[in-house]
Amino acid sequence: MPRALFSIALALATLLLAGCAPREGFGIVEGTSPEQAPEPWRVSEATLFIAETGPEQDGAEFLIPDLHATRSTIRLEAVSRRSIAATLACEGPFRIQTADGTARRFSQGRSVDLTLPNRGQGAASFVWQPDSATCRLSWGDDHTVTLRPESEAAPWLAELSLDASLACRTRSTEGLDPLQRMFLDEGPMLQTCPVTPGPVEVLSDPLEALNARIEALTGRRVSRDQLTAGDPDMPLDFSNAPRLELIQLSYLHIRSDFVGYLTARMLAHHAIRGTQVRILATSLLMLEEDRIFYDSLAARYPNIQIQYYQWDYPGIGRPDDVVNQLHRVQHTRAFLALSRDPGRSRYIFGGRNLHDGFFFSEPFDLQDWPFLHTYDEGAFQDLGFYSVYEDVELGLSDDRAVRNIAAHHLALWNRDFETHRAGPLQTGTTDRLSGMRHYLSLPWADGRDQIRWFADAIDAASEEVLIVTPYLNPPPEIQAALVRAQARGVTVRMVVRLESTDPAGFVITALNRRYAAHYAGLFEIEEYFPRPRMMHTKLMVIDRRLAVATSTNLDHRAFWHDTENGLIFLDTPQVGMLLDLVEDYRQTSRRLTADEPLHPLSEVLFNWAWLRSVF
């Protein structure tokens, strides 16, 4: 489909799917407290990408995600424009399904010849079970990849995944103040035990944020002039690079642009040295040229694994599910690098996605690099759009704090692919009354508990609730908590963005402007629009003591549908650092008034209950 028609198709799909609008609560289970789940308890999936030229490393290995898995389905997918003849053999029995749908079972020690269709024409897959043991795929001129279970090939990674605490219990909350009790919340939403955050860098400057990533993977920063020159082949010095066990990237959106290529070069350096690299992104937002770029990277280095997240809940079979498959996305953020060397682990978290629009004010001309994509600054409401965002991230370097957070990202990666639930859940205990926690929201698995948490946190406020958000369509429970706070004398202040140039931005802008028109007379609402950039930051600070830096927008979609995560701080220096950032925003913001004009479509779209529920 030509990209210029994407927004039209999106609008038509929205109208057609309205007749299949999901019933309230569809796909959502009741929230329950985390508990130890039986094992094995899940099914897993992974994709091994294959290139005609083979992997660029000797003894290439691909880890089978076997942790707690009754079975694992491994897709064998060619990135080439021609089909590939291959042979698969396993030490134990296995089942295979070829691209034409033929399924066969093979006994111990058998091998099977199969053809992997050219790119875009399907894939073969095989079902691995614990007794399948080690497998081997071979093709072409002695190209091979050994497929080994993760529990055997990377025991250190398996240990971290299996033994880390995904939830936390407090020994007592007696005598605590409301914000302390909120910080030590034990609801169904997954939250790590509190830790001391250690050194935290506020990365509001986009080039500093990009440089923090470069330093995390190379051990050195580069000059701002080098970055702004936009040369994808710029020199990178790996002489001080850390030894990394794991690199895990989690974003809504990644692209094959300047930032994407720099990142790929750094990932390749570590992958060829044996580091396990994992990339989690949203399937729906990936252009074909982006997929080709990242799939080819994974084919060159099979220890780079990619999950293109797409909601798929087998067995429901109702039209409702079509909406969720098109709408629910992977919205967590993480740039995670784990090292066994003290002080070399890094975690970068915030609202940014991994593409040039979050780091540079104009797109680079990348025509001399045909494997990259030059995004069109003038593109309107399609997946090839180039918008410039202003955002903030936090950079953590404390070993314990980073590994504490890694548990949640590993759990999301190792989720059950049939239900999208994470677990089994190890539960820790704590006596700490302050520090930092990481949360992971899976709304269909925890009963949308993030809504309850935000509402309870607002209810705990005694002086001020400060919210920074680019989206203004809060769930009713959170809106009610804000109104209650204002009624009891708490200052409710919002720093917002009203205009949106995101895909489907006409809906977002209409809902934002409706909220502003209705509530600017009740709350203190300020519009921050640092043109040509769009504010994309998501923060909440309560009573200048509790701060939440989050991927979660203040809208129904974030709380009802998408994977989300965040960092919660109580009585730490980071709260003041985030408040200083917001004060910088406010220096150039516009205070909205009670007579703020409505968007022409505001009431129509808001009163369309289903549409409001998915935005």
Side-chain angles (χ1 to χ4, degrees):
M1 176 190 304
R3 292 188 197 127
L5 298 179
F6 177 81
S7 59
I8 298 174
L10 178 64
L12 289 174
T14 298
L15 292 171
L16 290 171
L17 291 171
C20 307
R23 293 174 288 279
E24 172 62 23
F26 170 70
I28 306 299
V29 300
E30 291 297 323
T32 55
S33 298
E35 59 185 4
Q36 181 71 36
E39 57 176 311
W41 64 277
R42 72 180 184 114
V43 297
S44 67
E45 293 182 5
T47 301
L48 173 58
F49 294 100
I50 306 297
E52 284 184 285
T53 54
E56 293 185 13
Q57 52 192 147
D58 296 330
E61 288 192 348
F62 180 89
L63 294 194
I64 296 170
D66 68 315
L67 304 182
H68 291 295
T70 58
R71 67 180 188 277
S72 300
T73 298
I74 311 299
R75 286 172 51 86
L76 306 173
E77 186 171 328
V79 300
S80 312
R81 293 301 183 187
R82 294 188 299 180
S83 61
I84 298 175
T87 300
L88 176 70
C90 294
E91 294 175 344
F94 64 99
R95 289 185 290 124
I96 193 161
Q97 181 169 310
T98 55
D100 62 5
T102 303
R104 297 176 62 189
R105 181 183 294 274
F106 291 85
S107 59
Q108 179 175 344
R110 291 286 303 278
S111 63
V112 57
D113 294 329
L114 63 155
T115 299
L116 307 182
N118 56 294
R119 181 175 183 84
Q121 300 302 310
S125 62
F126 78 98
V127 177
W128 181 95
Q129 292 180 291
D131 58 354
S132 302
T134 297
C135 301
R136 181 184 177 92
L137 186 73
S138 58
W139 71 99
D141 297 328
D142 297 322
H143 302 314
T144 63
V145 174
T146 301
L147 296 91
R148 298 174 61 199
E150 180 180 327
S151 58
E152 171 192 314
W156 52 268
L157 184 57
E159 181 180 358
L160 179 59
S161 299
L162 297 175
D163 295 342
S165 296
L166 304 185
C168 193
R169 291 282 179 265
T170 58
R171 292 190 171 91
S172 174
T173 58
E174 184 178 353
L176 303 185
D177 65 47
L179 287 182
Q180 288 174 326
R181 287 197 296 271
M182 197 63 242
F183 179 67
L184 297 175
D185 176 77
E186 297 181 358
M189 185 174 69
L190 297 180
Q191 298 184 63
T192 63
C193 282
V195 294
T196 301
V200 177
E201 185 179 8
V202 176
L203 301 168
S204 55
D205 180 278
L207 294 188
E208 286 302 306
L210 179 55
N211 237 331
R213 290 165 166 80
I214 295 171
E215 184 179 33
L217 299 185
T218 70
R220 303 185 189 279
R221 298 199 174 201
V222 300
S223 72
R224 296 176 72 90
D225 287 344
Q226 284 179 289
L227 293 176
T228 55
D231 177 9
D233 292 319
M234 59 178 283
L236 292 173
D237 182 358
F238 290 96
S239 61
N240 191 41
R243 297 178 299 170
L244 297 178
E245 303 170 300
L246 171 71
I247 301 170
Q248 187 154 327
L249 310 183
S250 181
Y251 291 99
L252 171 72
H253 201 182
I254 58 176
R255 286 176 167 175
S256 56
D257 53 11
F258 173 69
V259 168
Y261 188 55
L262 278 186
T263 303
R265 290 175 58 195
M266 295 186 289
L267 297 181
H269 170 85
H270 289 280
I272 204 166
R273 286 158 176 77
T275 302
Q276 293 300 316
V277 180
R278 296 172 172 181
I279 301 172
L280 177 61
T282 298
S283 175
L284 184 64
L285 297 180
M286 296 292 291
L287 294 177
E288 177 62 9
E289 45 263 66
D290 295 328
R291 284 182 181 262
I292 291 173
F293 175 79
Y294 286 100
D295 295 354
S296 299
L297 177 68
R300 293 197 299 273
Y301 308 101
N303 48 329
I304 297 178
Q305 290 196 28
I306 304 174
Q307 288 183 9
Y308 294 121
Y309 180 94
Q310 180 172 323
W311 174 267
D312 185 13
Y313 201 125
I316 294 176
R318 297 194 297 253
D320 310 19
D321 197 38
V322 177
V323 178
N324 291 313
Q325 287 188 7
L326 292 175
H327 187 74
R328 289 181 176 169
V329 298
Q330 193 300 113
H331 204 251
T332 65
R333 302 294 201 279
F335 189 99
L336 174 69
L338 289 184
S339 175
R340 296 182 185 181
D341 298 333
R344 302 304 298 270
S345 294
R346 294 291 185 271
Y347 180 70
I348 300 173
F349 167 78
R352 290 188 179 98
N353 288 303
L354 200 64
H355 62 73
D356 289 358
F358 282 87
F359 302 94
F360 299 97
S361 58
E362 295 179 352
F364 293 113
D365 183 354
L366 301 172
Q367 296 184 60
D368 291 339
W369 292 267
F371 48 86
L372 301 180
H373 181 56
T374 300
Y375 281 85
D376 182 6
E377 190 172 12
F380 176 71
Q381 306 258 324
D382 66 21
L383 293 186
F385 73 101
Y386 190 93
S387 293
V388 185
Y389 298 94
E390 177 153 321
D391 216 319
V392 65
E393 292 173 296
L394 301 177
L396 282 68
S397 57
D398 180 84
D399 291 324
R400 185 184 177 203
V402 172
R403 287 184 178 268
N404 178 275
I405 294 167
H408 275 177
H409 289 289
L410 288 167
L412 180 60
W413 181 269
N414 290 323
R415 67 195 178 278
D416 175 29
F417 273 70
E418 289 190 343
T419 66
H420 298 275
R421 298 188 69 137
L425 310 178
Q426 303 287 348
T427 300
T429 58
T430 186
D431 288 322
R432 293 186 60 93
L433 301 181
S434 63
M436 180 190 73
R437 303 183 75 179
H438 180 270
Y439 78 80
L440 177 64
S441 170
L442 306 174
W444 51 85
D446 60 26
R448 295 173 177 157
D449 191 53
Q450 189 184 197
I451 296 176
R452 191 272 315 169
W453 191 93
F454 268 71
D456 285 356
I458 294 167
D459 282 337
S462 61
E463 299 176 10
E464 179 188 59
V465 175
L466 172 62
I467 292 175
V468 182
T469 179
Y471 293 78
L472 280 168
N473 182 30
E477 298 90 336
I478 294 176
Q479 178 60 23
L482 292 170
V483 173
R484 287 194 299 269
Q486 192 277 336
R488 66 177 183 271
V490 173
T491 299
V492 176
R493 178 175 290 122
M494 297 180 174
V495 179
V496 306
R497 180 192 84 188
L498 295 183
E499 302 293 329
S500 174
T501 59
D502 294 338
F506 69 97
V507 178
I508 298 164
T509 298
L511 293 175
N512 284 357
R513 287 204 165 276
R514 182 193 182 277
Y515 191 92
H518 279 259
Y519 295 104
L522 182 65
F523 307 142
E524 297 181 15
I525 304 180
E526 300 171 75
E527 181 188 17
Y528 175 62
F529 197 158
R531 290 176 173 82
R533 303 183 303 279
M534 293 190 302
M535 190 270 288
H536 194 254
T537 308
K538 311 107 167 38
L539 298 172
M540 183 171 71
V541 184
I542 295 177
D543 292 352
R544 297 181 170 265
R545 290 183 55 204
L546 185 142
V548 185
T550 178
S551 68
T552 306
N553 293 305
L554 194 64
D555 62 9
H556 285 64
R557 179 173 189 167
F559 285 94
W560 286 19
H561 294 282
D562 299 343
T563 64
E564 304 284 359
N565 67 319
L567 296 174
I568 306 168
F569 300 91
L570 180 68
D571 297 333
T572 68
Q574 289 73 38
V575 178
M577 295 162 67
L578 293 173
L579 282 169
D580 290 343
L581 173 77
V582 177
E583 286 304 312
D584 287 342
Y585 286 2
R586 296 185 65 204
Q587 296 304 309
T588 55
S589 65
R590 175 181 72 93
R591 176 71 181 270
L592 305 186
T593 62
D595 58 354
E596 197 69 25
L598 273 171
H599 186 282
L601 295 177
S602 289
E603 295 299 337
V604 173
L605 295 177
F606 182 84
N607 291 325
W608 189 355
W610 169 76
L611 186 70
R612 185 173 73 250
S613 75
V614 295
F615 281 94

